[in-house]
Amino acid sequence: MYTNTEKPTTNHIPITTIDAQNDIQQTIPVRPQLPAVVTAREQLSRARIRLTFSGDDVATFIRNKAAQAPGNWVKLFVPSSNGEIVGRAYTLRKFDLCMGTFEIDFFTHENGPASSWANSAQVGDTITFAGPRDGGFALNPISEWLVLIGDETCLSAIQVILSNLPSDLPGTVLIEVDDPDEHKPFFVGKNMKLQWIKRTHNPLKTDDALTKSLSNMEKLSGFGQAWVAGESSSVMVIRTFLQEKWKLDKESIRTKGYWKKGVTHFRS
Ligand SMILES: Cc1cc2nc3c(=O)[nH]c(=O)nc-3n(C[C@H](O)[C@H](O)[C@H](O)COP(=O)(O)OP(=O)(O)OC[C@H]3O[C@@H](n4cnc5c(N)ncnc54)[C@H](O)[C@@H]3O)c2cc1C
């Protein structure tokens, strides 16, 4: 058994979201912007929308192994209010090689070009995208547990990561949301604990719901990993907690600010 204060080897298992198939190309040249058409729209909750995208370029793109790795993402190019085209990051959720499609789940917050575009997107609408980009998750073969923490924007990444784990891997999934309508069931392994947290918007205060949940979270024994994404200041609080209280080293923690309160097109 390893602990997080020992230095384990960091060989990573390459994981794909679908079974390996002989005809999947290992790499394809990544072209800057590819067209895609919306072929399905589903309202998942009051604020989340799932769009399915297809097209010849999508069908080729999803055969790229890098597109299939859990948590990997693309930049979508959408019109802003002044007519400029701007890029925003979205996680690739599910691929269908037979249909040549991928899905993206959009959390539609109050304002922002990507949020507005998704809100009004209809079947037949077109968009361009570029990628794939690395989502920063790889399960270390020696990991005995995993902690996944995020918010509405990370549900896709967390669900794809979970669907690729050994089904008995222990761990905790913490998801911070504003609206209980987001509490939709999804698969977590039999030894994973799923906890929804109501956002209280004060990550630096000790009475903040997320801070409290972190303090109550049980640290399992042995070597483990954490993947954390979401609002940038919350991500920083969580990273500090995991480093200082749980003594996880940098290699065991992957964090990414997905958005920042009050900042347009935040990039961490
Ligand atoms: C690698 C990566 C993967 C991502 N994957 C997804 C995904 O699969 N699904 C998804 O929904 N999002 C995802 N995001 C987050 C998404 O890119 C941001 O929320 C983005 O800011 C949305 O763009 P926008 O044009 O709507 O808003 P922007 O123009 O960027 O911002 C406008 C205003 O909205 C605020 N804002 C932005 N996001 C939120 C939010 N979530 N809640 C409340 N206010 C917000 C900003 O603070 C700003 O004040 C991902 C981000 C990254 C970096």
Side-chain angles (χ1 to χ4, degrees), residues 71 73 78 86 88-92 104-116 151-154 156-157 256-266:
W73 53 282
V78 294
V86 294
R88 296 289 187 267
Y90 282 87
T91 306
L92 293 160
I104 289 181
D105 288 357
F106 295 80
F107 174 65
T108 57
H109 53 94
E110 272 170 21
N111 53 46
S115 208
S116 309
D151 64 10
E152 300 92 340
T153 61
C154 319
S156 291
K256 182 140 182 85
Y258 269 20
W259 62 283
K260 189 170 171 62
K261 209 171 168 205
V263 178
T264 295
H265 193 200
F266 170 71

Side-chain angles (χ1 to χ4, degrees), residues 47-264:
R48 279 197 316 129
I49 296 165
R50 176 166 300 157
L51 297 179
T52 306
F53 296 89
S54 75
D56 290 346
D57 291 291
V58 171
T60 308
F61 172 82
I62 60 176
R63 286 170 180 274
N64 181 351
K65 287 257 184 212
Q68 298 164 7
N72 281 10
W73 53 282
V74 288
K75 208 153 233 204
L76 297 180
F77 297 92
V78 294
S80 67
S81 53
N82 64 10
E84 231 184 296
I85 299 296
V86 294
R88 296 289 187 267
Y90 282 87
T91 306
L92 293 160
R93 189 178 171 277
K94 190 172 152 199
F95 306 93
D96 187 329
L97 289 181
C98 298
M99 300 303 290
T101 60
F102 63 69
E103 291 174 356
I104 289 181
D105 288 357
F106 295 80
F107 174 65
T108 57
H109 53 94
E110 272 170 21
N111 53 46
S115 208
S116 309
W117 181 84
N119 254 328
S120 59
Q122 296 300 329
V123 170
D125 286 356
T126 55
I127 194 168
T128 56
F129 69 98
R133 316 255 177 115
D134 184 10
F137 178 77
L139 185 69
N140 191 316
I142 62 165
S143 274
E144 290 160 89
W145 52 263
L146 178 68
V147 167
L148 298 168
I149 306 179
D151 64 10
E152 300 92 340
T153 61
C154 319
L155 276 165
S156 291
I158 288 176
Q159 289 170 3
V160 178
I161 289 171
L162 284 168
S163 68
N164 281 275
L165 296 176
S167 62
D168 58 350
L169 188 76
T172 304
V173 183
L174 287 187
I175 302 177
E176 188 183 36
V177 296
D178 269 330
D179 185 351
D181 189 39
E182 295 300 345
H183 298 194
K184 308 290 184 207
F186 60 87
F187 169 81
V188 294
K190 59 182 177 191
N191 297 324
M192 280 275 167
K193 254 189 239 163
L194 169 63
Q195 192 189 341
W196 296 95
I197 306 163
K198 169 90 179 91
R199 180 179 287 114
T200 51
H201 283 301
N202 222 339
L204 296 174
K205 293 270 169 71
T206 48
D207 62 349
D208 175 68
L210 178 63
T211 312
K212 269 196 204 155
S213 299
L214 287 174
S215 316
N216 294 336
M217 197 165 60
E218 181 195 0
K219 184 183 181 224
L220 299 175
S221 59
F223 176 78
Q225 284 175 265
W227 182 93
V228 183
E231 201 281 326
S232 169
S233 44
S234 296
V235 168
M236 283 195 296
V237 168
I238 298 164
R239 185 174 52 204
T240 305
F241 173 87
L242 293 171
Q243 283 175 336
E244 291 181 358
K245 299 275 195 271
W246 281 25
K247 308 288 179 211
L248 294 194
D249 60 31
K250 280 189 185 149
E251 291 199 339
S252 311
I253 311 175
R254 287 283 176 271
T255 59
K256 182 140 182 85
Y258 269 20
W259 62 283
K260 189 170 171 62
K261 209 171 168 205
V263 178
T264 295

Side-chain angles (χ1 to χ4, degrees), residues 12-33:
H12 290 158
I13 303 173
I15 304 173
T16 60
T17 54
I18 57 164
D19 293 335
Q21 294 183 9
N22 292 336
D23 66 341
I24 293 175
Q25 295 171 7
Q26 292 300 310
T27 54
I28 56 167
V30 177
R31 282 178 287 156
Q33 285 193 29

